[in-house]
Amino acid sequence: AQTVTQSQPEMSVQEAETVTLSCTYDTSESNYYLFWYKQPPSRQMILVIRQEAYKQQNATENRFSVNFQKAAKSFSLKISDSQLGDTAMYFCAFTWMDSSYKLIFGSGTRLLVRP
Amino acid sequence: DAGVTQSPTHLIKTRGQHVTLRCSPISGHKSVSWYQQVLGQGPQFIFQYYEKEERGRGNFPDRFSARQFPNYSSELNVNALLLGDSALYLCASSLEGGRYTGELFFGEGSRLTVL
């Protein structure tokens, strides 16, 4: 069975600094997608960044970047120049490339950005 | 354009009752997925519907059922409610429903409390 593990229940960072959220996953598949989703207090889940497993290059989206280590099954999210609006729950998620839209989510990391 | 809309936003039921949750996908999206998010955990996949057909089902009991209508909106029904069904129920829509090709867009959810 596929699993996604986020070992940091809570993290805190000073505004304008950099923070890294960790995620590991377990799968026997070779083709899959990995995601980081953000869930602010308003509850709507928003896609932050997506990584295709067949791509060696790490995905980046403005201040957000990932460190994808396929062999280690690790997928961490780096947030640079943290902003107060980054305060939210962050979920790591996985889906198979040939599946429907069934996402497997981790338990989440609560990030607090301090002013 | 309106995003994914869900109703009701909050509701309280008692054990043994039945509940119906509704979801309208983004205009043009043909697939709807349902997720259950228990407090402090990541979302868990319940169902996916595409073109009114069930495309995927998570590990939930038969008390959970869903359907998709010709206008692509969807209902999630839960019978014989248990205290453990208390959760945020998230609906997500996507353009397609087969092989993952694009983003999954989430609604703000329906918060169900079972007393």
Side-chain angles (χ1 to χ4, degrees):
Chain A
Q2 278 67 215
T3 58
V4 177
T5 302
Q6 294 178 250
S7 58
Q8 306 153 314
E10 292 187 1
M11 292 197 72
S12 178
V13 64
Q14 198 75 29
E15 191 176 9
E17 293 187 346
T18 296
V19 64
T20 299
L21 309 184
S22 301
C23 172
T24 58
Y25 60 95
D26 187 22
T27 182
S28 57
E29 301 288 329
S30 56
N31 295 318
Y32 49 88
Y33 291 96
L34 292 162
F35 311 88
W36 279 98
Y37 275 89
K38 170 184 177 181
Q39 189 177 41
S42 66
R43 300 182 302 179
Q44 189 169 26
M45 197 88 71
I46 303 165
L47 178 65
V48 174
I49 200 164
R50 181 179 78 184
Q51 174 80 43
E52 292 88 341
Y54 63 86
K55 291 186 177 179
Q56 292 187 342
Q57 186 173 9
N58 289 324
T60 62
E61 286 288 342
N62 301 314
R63 299 183 294 108
F64 300 88
S65 62
V66 298
N67 183 3
F68 174 47
Q69 302 289 328
K70 191 172 184 178
K73 295 181 181 176
S74 170
F75 183 63
S76 61
L77 174 70
K78 185 170 83 172
I79 305 175
S80 304
D81 185 26
S82 296
Q83 300 176 0
L84 296 179
D86 294 334
T87 292
M89 283 291 292
Y90 286 82
F91 292 97
C92 178
F94 162 101
T95 195
W96 306 259
M97 203 164 276
D98 290 333
S99 85
S100 55
Y101 284 68
K102 176 181 179 179
L103 269 61
I104 309 297
F105 284 87
S107 56
T109 297
R110 185 177 303 278
L111 176 66
L112 174 65
V113 180
R114 306 185 309 273
Chain B
D1 284 344
V4 178
T5 57
Q6 294 186 241
S7 63
T9 55
H10 294 83
L11 68 166
I12 300 173
K13 294 284 188 178
T14 56
R15 280 177 295 176
Q17 284 189 315
H18 163 91
V19 68
T20 297
L21 307 177
R22 296 177 177 83
C23 172
S24 292
I26 291 172
S27 178
H29 284 196
K30 299 179 181 179
S31 178
V32 168
S33 302
W34 287 95
Y35 287 80
Q36 180 196 63
Q37 187 178 11
V38 173
L39 193 63
Q41 298 181 19
Q44 274 198 293
F45 174 79
I46 310 175
F47 286 111
Q48 189 214 353
Y49 276 78
Y50 175 62
E51 293 280 14
K52 296 175 287 180
E53 291 188 1
E54 183 182 301
R55 284 297 187 93
R57 184 184 184 111
N59 189 23
F60 280 81
D62 292 343
R63 299 184 297 107
F64 288 76
S65 64
R67 55 179 175 168
Q68 187 177 33
F69 299 99
N71 67 352
Y72 303 111
S73 66
S74 178
E75 282 183 355
L76 175 69
N77 294 283
V78 187
N79 293 323
L81 285 167
L82 304 174
L83 295 179
D85 295 332
S86 295
L88 181 67
Y89 288 85
L90 297 170
C91 175
S93 77
S94 55
L95 270 171
E96 301 293 337
R99 190 173 184 224
Y100 183 91
T101 55
E103 189 172 343
L104 198 60
F105 293 86
F106 285 85
E108 293 194 7
S110 294
R111 171 74 66 191
L112 171 65
T113 301
V114 181
L115 301 177

